[in-house]
Amino acid sequence: FQAEDGIRDLVRSRGLGDVYKRQVLDTAGSASGLAPALKDADFVLMPVRPSRLDIVAARPTLQALVGLGLRERLALVLNQCPPPPSPRTSAYAAQLRALGVLAEPGIIHRVDHQDALATGLGVTEFAPGSQAAEEVRALWAWIDGKMRAAPAR
C-alpha cells in the first residue's frame, strides 16, 4: 500500500513538495519477484526475529538487494525480541551490527503492539507514552537519519 503523510516541510519531505510518499511492500521472506519493485527504493527495512531461522531465511533477499546496488540503503531490524537482557538478541544484534546492516533499536515483543493492532491503530497512537511507542519513534528517527545521510539519487 502507499501511505501519504501531509508533511508540509520541504526539508523533511526531501524536496518532494507537499506530500512525502512512502511505499510499503509487505511480502513473504523471499527475493523472487521483488527486483522490479525494489531497484529504485530509497531505503529497504527488513524485519527479522532474533532467530537463526529468520536470519538464514533473509539471506537470499539480502543477496538480491545487494545485487541491485542497495547495499548502502538497506537494514534489518530485530523484531519481536524477548525482553532484555537477552543473550540471543544481543548475539544477533552484534552480528548484524558488524555487517553494517542493523537498524536500531530493535523492537521488543510487547503487548501494546498486539492491543494496538486489535484496534486498528499503530502503537504510537494507541499507547503514545509506552515503551513500545518510544521504540518505534526511535526506530523511525534512526531510519530518517540513515535516509538523510544517503547520497541524493
Side-chain angles (χ1 to χ4, degrees), residues 105 107 123-125 127-130 132-142:
I107 303 298
V123 74
T124 58
E125 300 165 303
S130 68
E134 185 53 40
E135 289 167 358
V136 169
R137 282 190 291 271
L139 178 60
W140 277 115
W142 184 92

Side-chain angles (χ1 to χ4, degrees), residues 94-146:
Q95 290 174 16
L96 295 175
R97 192 178 295 113
L99 294 173
V101 296
L102 179 64
E104 299 193 72
I107 303 298
I108 307 297
H109 184 80
R110 299 183 190 277
V111 175
D112 282 338
H113 291 288
Q114 297 168 27
D115 292 345
L117 181 63
T119 64
L121 298 173
V123 74
T124 58
E125 300 165 303
F126 178 78
S130 68
Q131 289 179 307
E134 185 53 40
E135 289 167 358
V136 169
R137 282 190 291 271
L139 178 60
W140 277 115
W142 184 92
I143 294 166
D144 184 57
K146 184 83 168 173

Side-chain angles (χ1 to χ4, degrees), residues 27-36 38 46 57-65 68:
T27 67
S30 168
S32 63
L34 290 179
L38 295 177
M46 289 179 51
R59 187 175 299 148
T61 302
L62 286 173
Q63 290 170 334
L65 293 171
L68 291 170

Side-chain angles (χ1 to χ4, degrees), residues 50 55 78 86-98 102:
I55 302 297
L78 291 173
S86 167
R88 177 186 309 153
T89 300
S90 296
Y92 286 114
Q95 290 174 16
L96 295 175
R97 192 178 295 113
L102 179 64

